[in-house]
Amino acid sequence: MISKCSLTTLLLIISAVSFGQSKVEGVWKTQDQKDSLLVSASGQSNPAVFVYFPSKAKFLPFTLNGSELVHYEPDASKMSLSLSADGNTITDANGGAKKVYSKVSSQSPVNSKTVAAGADDFFDFSTSNYYAGINFYLSSHPGLPFMPNPAFITKKKVKEVKIEKFFARVSGSGAVSVQKEYDLVYNFNSSGQITTVQVVPFGGGQETDTWTYSYNGDKLQKISTPGRVLQFDNDNWEVDARQQKKVPFIFPMWSYNGDSKPRTATLPYMTGAPLNEYFYTGSQLTKICSKDVSEPNILEHCTEYTYKDGIPVKIVETKRSK
């Protein structure tokens, strides 16, 4: 049992960390306006600050220790940024070229997605961090593109869900090629949590991959895969061996429909068409289309879902070429 004194101390620590995070969150620019930093914060049990470096074209996770922001690379080398005592400047002295950034906006450059998921939605639309999101980016394994909503699974008393996964390619001339890739077999416990997922290749000849999920109460702790083990903190973020939050490929800016379901997701440092667009039939998510920036010859990349009794039974991923 936590004593009243210990609980008060813990709350003061969390409040201090949250204050520190909010102090650095926003947009920072050099005096000549030629370089900038986008700074976002996320996490309560394991707070982190995420800094986007346009010159590096990537976000990096940092821990705020007083006036120092610290990031560790996979080789354990340390990178740090210095926050001035008045909180008005951030100094980057890494790599020998010293840069000083001044805050020009106190608003987070990205927005979190906090849509409450109803018990009638198979997909879990709710999340309390930037990293999660309904199929915004695929998980580490292309066969595991989403986490179902536990409330839906419990309400429907679902123990197993089997989904057929197909891939279709449409050439510039209009020729269509479709092939079945694998079956996804999700197994659930009585709380609606995933216990295992099997990726069963179509046609035989390849081994079935099995992913095993471990929890501490309602918190996902790890996913054991055929090739590695993914560790998670109590904010539902994947973390490395130092408990440093792993940064996703992208942090989205969300827009919503009138029913509060996601409509578009756009990168805060890009202009033009949204990276992802979400389409519904009634309340069911039926299609997600994205601009595949990694493949410039792709005009459109869409994933469509077919349901039976509210549960997806078929996924078709289609890429349309120029």
Side-chain angles (χ1 to χ4, degrees):
M1 181 181 293
I2 299 177
S3 69
K4 185 175 181 180
C5 180
S6 299
L7 181 59
T8 302
T9 302
L10 179 62
L11 291 173
L12 286 173
I13 292 172
I14 292 174
S15 298
V17 171
S18 298
F19 173 76
Q21 285 181 293
S22 64
K23 187 165 66 171
V24 299
E25 197 166 36
V27 179
W28 301 70
K29 291 188 177 183
T30 54
Q31 188 173 8
D32 60 11
Q33 304 287 298
K34 290 184 178 180
D35 203 357
S36 61
L37 300 175
L38 305 181
V39 184
S40 307
S42 185
Q44 293 297 320
S45 68
N46 182 24
V49 174
F50 300 94
V51 182
Y52 180 72
F53 298 82
S55 58
K56 297 183 175 72
K58 65 179 179 180
F59 272 102
L60 292 176
F62 285 80
T63 301
L64 181 59
N65 295 324
S67 61
E68 185 182 30
L69 285 84
V70 180
H71 164 75
Y72 288 98
E73 293 290 339
D75 64 0
S77 60
K78 176 181 172 183
M79 175 182 179
S80 64
L81 303 173
S82 300
L83 179 67
S84 63
D86 58 11
N88 291 330
T89 61
I90 290 178
T91 301
D92 181 358
N94 298 282
K98 182 177 177 180
K99 292 183 179 180
V100 179
Y101 300 85
S102 298
K103 182 180 274 192
V104 296
S105 169
S106 295
Q107 292 186 333
S108 173
V110 299
N111 63 340
S112 58
K113 190 167 82 62
T114 54
V115 179
D120 293 321
D121 293 319
F122 176 85
F123 290 103
D124 189 350
F125 293 104
S126 65
T127 176
S128 59
N129 60 52
Y130 309 132
Y131 160 85
I134 168 61
N135 201 28
F136 182 73
Y137 73 105
L138 297 182
S139 64
S140 316
H141 190 293
L144 301 175
F146 54 78
M147 293 284 280
N149 176 9
F152 176 93
I153 299 300
T154 302
K155 179 181 178 180
K156 297 284 188 177
K157 296 182 172 59
V158 177
K159 293 183 179 179
E160 180 184 286
V161 169
K162 182 178 179 180
I163 307 173
E164 294 184 290
K165 170 65 167 60
F166 293 82
F167 178 78
R169 184 175 291 277
V170 183
S171 69
S173 63
V176 181
S177 171
V178 181
Q179 63 182 25
K180 181 174 179 179
E181 295 184 305
Y182 46 78
D183 289 320
L184 288 173
V185 182
Y186 283 73
N187 292 282
F188 305 93
N189 60 25
S190 59
S191 299
Q193 297 169 330
I194 299 172
T195 54
T196 61
V197 179
Q198 291 178 297
V199 184
V200 186
F202 178 68
Q206 291 180 282
E207 290 186 8
T208 295
D209 285 349
T210 300
W211 292 49
T212 303
Y213 292 63
S214 302
Y215 302 86
N216 180 12
D218 64 345
K219 300 293 185 182
L220 178 64
Q221 297 295 293
K222 68 179 180 179
I223 303 177
S224 301
T225 78
R228 60 192 178 116
V229 175
L230 312 180
Q231 299 283 348
F232 296 83
D233 63 18
N234 284 335
D235 295 321
N236 292 320
W237 281 75
E238 187 186 346
V239 292
D240 60 19
R242 293 176 174 269
Q243 287 294 298
Q244 182 175 248
K245 282 177 162 60
K246 289 191 175 182
V247 179
F249 173 64
I250 41 183
F251 283 78
M253 291 288 290
W254 299 97
S255 67
Y256 303 97
N257 293 307
D259 57 2
S260 295
K261 286 187 170 60
R263 181 175 69 248
T264 63
T266 308
L267 299 188
Y269 44 90
M270 288 181 67
T271 57
L275 197 64
N276 272 29
E277 292 185 86
Y278 301 83
F279 301 89
Y280 304 83
T281 299
S283 62
Q284 284 186 332
L285 177 70
T286 51
K287 184 167 69 170
I288 301 174
C289 289
S290 64
K291 181 179 180 181
D292 199 330
V293 294
S294 65
E295 298 186 62
N297 66 317
I298 299 297
L299 286 174
E300 187 179 51
H301 183 186
C302 292
T303 302
E304 296 186 65
Y305 302 90
T306 301
Y307 296 81
K308 181 179 181 181
D309 298 326
I311 298 173
V313 292
K314 183 178 180 181
I315 298 175
V316 179
E317 179 186 2
T318 302
K319 287 190 178 184
R320 187 181 301 275
S321 304
K322 290 181 179 179

